[in-house]
């Protein structure tokens, strides 16, 4: 008897596929894991089993679940009636803190999800430049809307030429022809980028990228590549957009742009920016942001934009990220966890490795050589990844499996050194299960 399984079957009678979001079904388990409650870095499923959480809401709960500062902020917003679709002083306080903290931000706007943030950012870039095309990097993920949901998990036999990747659609049912607005380029390949960029510069509104490619686990671009992208876009007036939905606040208060010391024209912030509440941000240079209505002619509006509960939570979260010592703690945990995991794999001679930066990391099975981009990961062994995750969940460490792809995992700031050691002990046991012949 399992309440998790029973409830998943019950949900499947009414929710398509049994879930509210397609990727919530864990392929490693064949069902979604349903959680009863959470606190700090711990989750308890409907059967009462406890897990150390290494998904952390796909990066949204960087402070951990049920953080008292977030809770207090939400309670206070609710006490004031939480009027939906109106603004109060918290919006300006939050925007000011973001502009003071993230290098490229002169002005911001608030949305509910990362997908909306990239959608609005791209519309604004097109409005500002009066150009249509966007450079998108193969494998980089920018959300679930039709403008950019191409080449996010292209099957190996559909990749196309290396210097001109196939804009393979991420779903059926997408608006036909939108791929013609995209110029596809491999990530982290300066010579191919330069050649393609120069050919298309006259018709480009923007280059959008994941400045740390966390959607492939964790790939840090070379300084040469990022400097080139910034130099060529600056020279030609093409806008550079950093999609920091995942990288924001992950390794420092100023996100990837501060870490790489490259300031884009526009950026998006998501997940951790809302402290676990549905909130995302886009923003950047004042002259570009002024093109938004009502000062300008580019539309961005929505009933739930900047919901006061989410803004209160976001303000409390970003205040916490900017406290002294916050990132020393994150980096110390990161070193212990990623180093410890690599040692576990090495000791058991399992051909797997971990790459991470700040609070998120990737695990790669069977990949040799440098990992620079999507194509360097075609040898990643998904079946092994799923087997590892199944074993980890069995031993009380929760990873989301992303279908076995090399994707991102992470920890939260509520984690202690002792928790990292507990993770390593549980995963050591999981690797015994993993290595046992089935
Ligand atoms: C880099 C990046 N951009 C955009 C998105 C979409 O964000 P959301 O799921 O909030 O719509 C994600 C989500 O994982 C992401 O990682």
């Amino acid at each position: 008897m399992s309440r998790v399984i029973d409830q998943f079957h019950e949900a499947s009678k009414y929710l398509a596929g049994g879930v509210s979001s397609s990727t919530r079904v864990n392929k490693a388990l064949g069902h979604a894991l349903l959680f009863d409650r959470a606190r700090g870095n711990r989750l308890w499923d409907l059967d009462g089993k406890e897990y150390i959480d290494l998904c952390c809401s796909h990066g949204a709960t960087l402070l951990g679940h049920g953080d008292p500062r977030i809770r207090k902020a939400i309670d206070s917003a609710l006490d004031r009636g939480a009027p939906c679709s109106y603004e109060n002083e918290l919006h300006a306080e939050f925007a000011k803190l973001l502009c003071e903290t993230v290098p490229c931000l002169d002005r911001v706007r608030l949305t509910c999800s990362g997908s909306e943030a990239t959608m609005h950012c791209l519309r604004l870039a097109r409005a500002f430049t009066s150009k249509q095309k966007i450079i998108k990097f193969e494998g980089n993920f920018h959300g679930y809307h039709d403008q950019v949901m191409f080449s996010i998990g292209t099957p190996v036999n559909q990749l196309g030429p290396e210097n001109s990747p196939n804009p393979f659609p991420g779903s059926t049912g997408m608006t036909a022809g939108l791929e013609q607005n995209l110029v596809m380029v491999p990530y982290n390949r300066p010579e191919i980028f330069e050649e393609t960029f120069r050919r298309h510069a006259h018709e480009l509104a923007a280059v959008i990228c994941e400045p740390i490619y966390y959607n492939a686990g964790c790939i840090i671009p070379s300084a040469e590549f990022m400097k080139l992208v910034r130099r060529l876009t600056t020279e030609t007036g093409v806008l550079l957009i950093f999609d920091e939905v995942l990288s924001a606040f992950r390794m420092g208060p100023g996100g990837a742009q501060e870490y790489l010391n490259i300031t884009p024209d526009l950026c998006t912030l998501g997940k951790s920016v809302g402290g676990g509440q549905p909130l995302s941000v886009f923003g950047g240079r004042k002259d570009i942001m002024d093109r938004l209505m009502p000062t300008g002619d580019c539309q961005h509006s929505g009933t739930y934009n900047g919901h006061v509960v989410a803004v209160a939570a976001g303000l409390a979260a970003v205040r916490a990220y900017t406290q002294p010592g916050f990132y020393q703690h994150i980096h110390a945990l990161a070193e212990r966890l990623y180093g410890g995991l690599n040692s576990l794999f090495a000791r058991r001679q399992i051909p797997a490795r971990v790459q991470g930066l700040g609070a998120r990391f990737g695990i790669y099975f069977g990949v040799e050589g440098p990992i620079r981009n999507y194509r360097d990961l075609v040898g990643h062994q998904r079946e092994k990844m799923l087997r590892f995750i199944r074993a980890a969940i069995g031993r009380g460490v929760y990873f989301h499996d992303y279908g076995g792809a090399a994707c991102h995992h992470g920890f939260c700031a509520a984690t202690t050194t002792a928790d990292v050691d507990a993770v390593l002990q549980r995963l050591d046991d999981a690797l015994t299960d993993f290595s046992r012949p089935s």
Side-chain angles (χ1 to χ4, degrees):
M1 274 291 287
S2 160
R3 263 194 87 205
V4 169
I5 305 282
D6 289 351
Q7 278 302 314
F8 180 68
H9 287 146
E10 176 68 8
S12 302
K13 293 184 198 160
Y14 310 105
L15 286 164
V19 279
S20 322
S21 185
S22 309
T23 52
R24 230 161 260 173
V25 172
N26 257 305
K27 196 172 175 189
L29 304 176
H31 58 83
L33 206 46
L34 278 68
F35 293 109
D36 176 42
R37 65 200 166 87
R39 178 159 297 276
N41 67 348
R42 295 298 208 270
L43 292 164
W44 288 266
D45 72 17
L46 288 188
D47 292 320
K49 183 173 159 75
E50 180 240 50
Y51 305 84
I52 300 177
D53 185 7
L54 287 188
C55 169
C56 293
S57 320
H58 307 276
T61 44
L62 179 56
L63 293 177
H65 301 288
D67 182 90
R69 295 159 289 188
I70 303 277
R71 198 176 165 152
K72 191 168 163 222
I74 290 176
D75 282 350
S76 149
L78 290 173
D79 285 347
R80 294 171 70 185
C84 172
S85 304
Y86 304 112
E87 313 240 336
N88 65 21
E89 80 290 350
L90 295 180
H91 294 74
E93 263 180 66
F94 183 50
K96 179 169 185 268
L97 182 58
L98 292 174
C99 291
E100 287 168 354
T101 309
V102 179
C104 86
L105 296 178
D106 296 333
R107 295 286 186 280
V108 295
R109 274 286 175 93
L110 311 182
T111 67
C112 301
S113 68
S115 299
E116 288 165 88
T118 63
M119 180 185 85
H120 285 294
C121 223
L122 291 170
R123 179 188 293 163
L124 177 60
R126 288 187 169 121
F128 186 77
T129 59
S130 303
K131 306 258 173 70
Q132 270 302 303
K133 292 201 177 179
I134 308 287
I135 282 192
K136 181 193 175 289
F137 293 100
E138 183 178 40
N140 275 201
F141 179 61
H142 303 298
Y144 290 101
H145 58 90
D146 287 10
Q147 299 282 338
V148 283
M149 205 176 56
F150 292 92
S151 179
I152 56 169
T154 310
V156 178
N157 62 356
Q158 298 286 336
L159 286 172
E162 189 178 25
N163 64 354
S164 172
N166 182 14
F168 189 78
S171 172
T172 54
M174 289 167 63
T175 314
L178 285 182
E179 71 282 0
Q180 288 161 25
N181 291 326
L182 295 180
V183 177
M184 301 295 308
V185 188
Y187 191 71
N188 215 2
R189 294 291 305 272
E191 64 298 343
I192 299 178
F193 178 78
E194 176 151 23
E195 195 274 319
T196 310
F197 183 91
R198 290 200 186 283
R199 214 159 6 100
H200 290 279
H202 63 284
E203 53 185 353
L204 288 173
V207 174
I208 187 166
C209 70
E210 285 190 61
I212 303 294
Y213 184 9
Y214 279 118
N215 275 291
C218 177
I219 298 178
I220 302 175
S222 72
E224 180 201 0
F225 171 69
M226 269 303 171
K227 277 189 190 148
L228 178 74
V229 171
R230 180 64 285 188
R231 181 167 61 74
L232 292 180
T233 47
T234 303
E235 280 170 12
T236 49
V238 174
L239 301 183
L240 177 58
I241 303 173
F242 275 7
D243 178 1
E244 297 228 41
V245 165
L246 198 40
S247 57
F249 308 109
R250 205 58 62 187
M251 74 304 286
Q257 51 196 276
E258 183 181 54
Y259 176 80
L260 299 169
N261 195 22
I262 302 270
T263 304
D265 302 296
L266 293 169
C267 78
T268 59
L269 316 174
K271 298 185 189 269
S272 58
V273 79
Q277 294 298 304
L279 180 70
S280 285
V281 174
F282 69 99
R285 271 169 40 194
K286 178 181 180 305
D287 59 329
I288 305 173
M289 293 298 286
D290 279 349
R291 282 298 287 267
L292 289 174
M293 291 181 184
T295 44
D297 53 7
C298 179
Q299 184 57 283
H300 159 251
S301 201
T303 307
Y304 293 112
N305 285 346
H307 192 291
V308 71
V309 170
V311 171
L315 181 58
V318 178
R319 279 188 181 142
Y321 308 149
T322 49
Q323 290 306 304
F326 185 83
Y327 288 98
Q328 277 95 316
H329 179 58
I330 294 285
H331 290 297
L333 294 174
E335 203 181 316
R336 194 174 185 96
L337 178 61
Y338 309 155
L341 271 171
N342 275 324
S343 304
L344 284 186
F345 289 130
R347 185 156 51 73
R348 290 172 178 269
Q349 296 181 319
I350 294 170
R353 65 171 135 154
V354 170
Q355 281 184 192
L357 175 66
R360 285 201 97 69
F361 63 99
I363 304 178
Y364 306 97
F365 277 90
V367 183
E368 284 168 13
I371 302 176
R372 297 161 302 174
N373 52 37
Y374 186 76
R375 287 191 194 210
D376 287 342
L377 290 174
V378 291
H380 167 72
Q381 296 161 328
R382 285 178 179 239
E383 285 312 314
K384 288 222 168 98
M385 187 76 202
L386 291 174
R387 190 183 162 92
F388 170 73
I389 288 182
R390 211 174 299 126
I393 288 176
R395 293 286 182 168
V397 178
Y398 181 68
F399 289 99
H400 190 78
D401 70 37
Y402 304 99
C407 208
H408 56 97
H409 313 286
F411 61 86
C412 67
T415 305
T416 63
T417 305
D419 291 328
V420 171
D421 294 344
V423 167
L424 293 172
Q425 183 56 58
R426 290 181 193 196
L427 291 182
D428 198 17
D429 295 340
L431 285 176
T432 303
D433 304 339
F434 170 88
S435 304
R436 201 171 281 144
S438 46

